[in-house]
Amino acid sequence: MTEPTCRLDVFKLLNKADFIYRPDTNTWSHDDGRPFTDEEQAMAHGATDVELETLSSIQKIGLDHGLGDPAHALRILMYRYSVKLPDGTTDEDIVASMTGKDRTEYQRLRTVIRTGIRPEVVTLLLDADLPAYLDTNTWTHHDGQPFTKQEKSLACSCTLKEMEAVLAQMQLELDFEQEREADAPRAFCALMDKYFGDVPDGTLIHDPASRMTEEDRIEYLRLRDILGPEMSIITDRDED
């Protein structure tokens, strides 16, 4: 059985279409504003899954590089599924008929349209080692893993609005860490009291972390690293 192919004339037509029905002609328009002829609209309506999926893929590549219109990409995605369903099917039911991957893409496009920010760009840059990039002009993750070619392209397509979102998130995380560090003495005392509150004052406790749950042990080590020399002062005060 022959595999379906993407017809170039149909693809070119779809690539110039706005996927919005005009009230005067009940057809789509070309990207220059000219209405489709009846013949062009019939050709567009005869597009196969292969042609529509190819168009969606091209649109996604453009958006990944900071090009294209997410609202246009969303219309194409919705049309791909609406043509398989009865006339009058609600948008909610159209979305429900999508594959998990396309439903995720639908939500992503809605977010980009609403905020002007691509979540995947923000997530990628938050995981980037920005100080290392400034020093070496090389993109790497926090774990030292270099960016793939696709990740580099995505990072370089970052818009001003997306960078502002990254910086805002970084500031929130910094503020949160500063608050946690300021609260470290109280948190350390509370944690020690949880396990050793009934131990007589002056008792020497070897390896406190060994008696703790895994979660509390991790917290103990975190607090110990934050407090450093202050830890013994806090403990001495508790034993007075």
Side-chain angles (χ1 to χ4, degrees):
M1 183 176 178
T2 305
E3 289 291 328
T5 58
C6 180
R7 293 168 295 174
L8 188 58
D9 55 341
V10 176
F11 175 78
K12 285 182 176 180
L13 181 65
L14 294 175
N15 199 37
K16 297 291 185 180
D18 65 358
F19 285 77
I20 301 174
Y21 286 98
R22 299 169 58 111
D24 56 342
T25 62
N26 197 34
T27 63
W28 298 342
S29 299
H30 293 271
D31 54 8
D32 61 5
R34 291 180 297 111
F36 271 28
T37 65
D38 290 341
E39 292 77 11
E40 288 173 330
Q41 193 62 59
M43 182 185 291
H45 282 165
T48 64
D49 284 347
V50 172
E51 289 145 2
L52 290 168
E53 287 174 11
T54 302
L55 183 63
S56 284
S57 297
I58 295 296
Q59 289 290 318
K60 187 176 187 309
I61 291 171
L63 290 173
D64 287 346
H65 288 78
L67 305 172
D69 177 9
H72 181 55
L74 183 63
R75 289 195 297 271
I76 295 171
L77 179 61
M78 292 293 286
Y79 178 76
R80 276 178 54 201
Y81 283 89
S82 68
V83 293
K84 305 172 187 176
L85 300 169
D87 291 343
T89 301
T90 64
D91 287 353
E92 185 179 68
D93 287 338
I94 293 173
V95 174
S97 72
M98 294 179 180
T99 63
K101 181 180 178 181
D102 282 338
R103 202 174 304 122
T104 298
E105 178 65 4
Y106 168 85
Q107 296 296 344
R108 185 184 79 91
L109 290 171
R110 288 289 301 271
T111 298
V112 176
I113 292 167
R114 186 177 69 253
T115 66
I117 296 170
R118 292 167 293 169
E120 66 273 21
V121 175
V122 175
T123 300
L124 177 63
L125 291 180
L126 285 172
D127 190 46
D129 190 339
L130 295 180
Y133 173 73
L134 295 175
D135 289 340
T136 65
N137 200 34
T138 301
W139 287 104
T140 57
H141 293 275
H142 284 303
D143 62 4
Q145 187 76 14
F147 273 25
T148 64
K149 186 176 181 179
Q150 183 179 3
E151 288 173 332
K152 288 179 186 177
S153 178
L154 191 59
C156 291
S157 73
C158 178
T159 65
L160 177 60
K161 199 166 187 178
E162 288 163 346
M163 181 53 72
E164 288 173 347
V166 171
L167 294 175
Q169 181 61 33
M170 290 172 67
Q171 186 62 51
L172 283 174
E173 293 176 3
L174 179 61
D175 292 344
F176 177 69
E177 283 302 316
Q178 288 175 339
E179 288 179 12
R180 290 183 75 190
E181 289 187 15
D183 191 51
R186 184 207 60 79
F188 181 79
C189 289
L191 184 60
M192 294 297 288
D193 217 34
K194 175 180 177 181
Y195 288 92
F196 309 108
D198 57 350
V199 173
D201 292 346
T203 302
L204 184 61
I205 303 171
H206 295 285
D207 192 15
S210 64
R211 304 190 187 184
M212 299 179 180
T213 63
E214 179 65 15
E215 181 180 357
D216 285 343
R217 187 183 69 81
I218 292 171
E219 177 66 359
Y220 168 80
L221 295 174
R222 183 188 75 82
L223 292 169
R224 189 185 66 180
D225 289 342
I226 291 173
L227 293 170
E230 293 181 26
M231 185 178 64
S232 60
I233 298 174
I234 295 169
T235 306
D236 289 344
R237 285 177 180 171
D238 277 357
E239 293 177 354
D240 288 340

